[in-house]
Amino acid sequence: MTQAQTVTSPAKRQLVGVIADGAFKVLLGAAFIIGAARLGDLLGVPSWLMAVSGVALLIGGGIEIGYVRSRPMLTYTRLMVAYDSGWVLATLAGLLMAWQGSSAGGEVWIGYQTAVPIAFAALLVAATSVRPTSDTRAKDCAP
């Protein structure tokens, strides 16, 4: 097997996926904070709400990354599916409201971005901790 043909275990791919999800939230949160005034104008929401949403995303993403080794992947998977499903629904609701001429579409979408990362983080913190055994550590490190 050559170096280009490295095999990655499903557990490692899931780990990378969780870290990438958390990193995306952190980056999005930073963008919301940095561009609060401009993005707020585009979405029709006050800049303070954009900044608060950015902080919520930073917290949620940071906790997601911080707990990656101490929570079961099944817990992460369930929370991420619920989060992303709600994100799609909030996005569709916000777009539908905007298409109908309502100014509340941006508020719905940013409201979701503000509340749900904190709920996600709280559920993750409250989840049962995983204590890796020598068997699971060896399995996670196997090529």
Side-chain angles (χ1 to χ4, degrees):
M1 184 180 312
T2 67
Q3 284 182 327
Q5 295 176 323
T6 55
V7 178
T8 310
S9 71
K12 292 239 187 244
R13 285 193 297 269
Q14 288 178 328
L15 182 68
V16 169
V18 168
I19 292 169
D21 190 74
F24 179 79
K25 286 181 181 112
V26 168
L27 291 173
L28 187 62
F32 280 14
I33 292 168
I34 292 167
R38 178 76 177 121
L39 291 171
D41 288 344
L42 288 171
L43 294 170
V45 298
S47 58
W48 68 264
L49 182 56
M50 289 300 302
V52 169
S53 182
V55 170
L57 284 161
L58 284 171
I59 291 168
I63 288 175
E64 186 173 350
I65 293 168
Y67 279 84
V68 75
R69 293 262 184 207
S70 64
R71 297 298 184 260
M73 278 298 136
L74 182 60
T75 299
Y76 269 102
T77 302
R78 288 178 178 165
L79 288 173
M80 287 168 48
V81 166
Y83 182 98
D84 291 345
S85 298
W87 188 90
V88 168
L89 293 174
T91 301
L92 291 173
L95 285 171
L96 181 61
M97 294 171 90
W99 284 331
Q100 293 179 344
S102 172
S103 62
E107 292 172 356
V108 168
W109 193 72
I110 293 302
Y112 185 87
Q113 302 301 322
T114 304
V116 180
I118 299 300
F120 182 103
L123 290 169
L124 194 57
V125 168
T128 304
S129 180
V130 169
R131 293 222 171 248
T133 63
S134 58
D135 290 341
T136 58
R137 277 194 299 260
K139 186 170 60 174
D140 286 345
C141 295

